[in-house]
Amino acid sequence: MIELSFADALFTYLLLWILFIGILWCRELARVKNFDWKVSNSRLFHCDNCHHSFIVKDSVNLTRCPRCNSICIFRKQRNLE
Ligand SMILES: [Zn+2]
């Protein structure tokens, strides 16, 4: 039988806890990485003709409305703070 002193048992206990917390930490980091927010280049356009709002994936300043096919210009949003 393996004889352990109280200090060895306590050290092993703490080592196992640190290992367990490290595994949980790595798992959480991998999980957060998968569901992380990403900055997107898409822009929200608003058609002045038909008041239709739509998102364009590219970072363009000029596009056509998918509903009425009129030209829409991207305007910078005013800061509402
Ligand atoms: Zn439109």
Side-chain angles (χ1 to χ4, degrees):
M1 183 153 174
I2 302 171
E3 290 187 23
L4 284 175
S5 68
F6 180 72
D8 289 340
L10 189 64
F11 179 74
T12 307
Y13 178 73
L14 287 176
L15 198 66
L16 286 175
W17 264 113
I18 288 172
L19 189 68
F20 179 68
I21 289 172
I23 289 170
L24 287 180
W25 189 12
C26 290
R27 184 173 154 252
E28 182 67 19
L29 285 179
R31 201 179 70 82
V32 165
K33 198 174 182 180
N34 287 339
F35 297 106
D36 198 13
W37 289 84
K38 291 175 185 160
V39 176
S40 143
N41 285 335
S42 62
R43 289 182 167 183
L44 179 68
F45 282 85
H46 181 77
C47 179
D48 294 330
N49 247 3
C50 65
H51 302 289
H52 179 67
S53 295
F54 56 98
I55 293 176
V56 175
K57 297 258 179 183
D58 304 323
S59 60
V60 293
N61 291 329
L62 197 70
T63 187
R64 288 197 172 265
C65 173
R67 184 185 280 173
C68 68
N69 209 24
S70 71
I71 292 175
C72 299
I73 300 169
F74 177 75
R75 295 186 184 96
K76 289 194 174 185
Q77 302 288 321
R78 288 189 204 121
N79 200 356
L80 299 176
E81 291 177 6

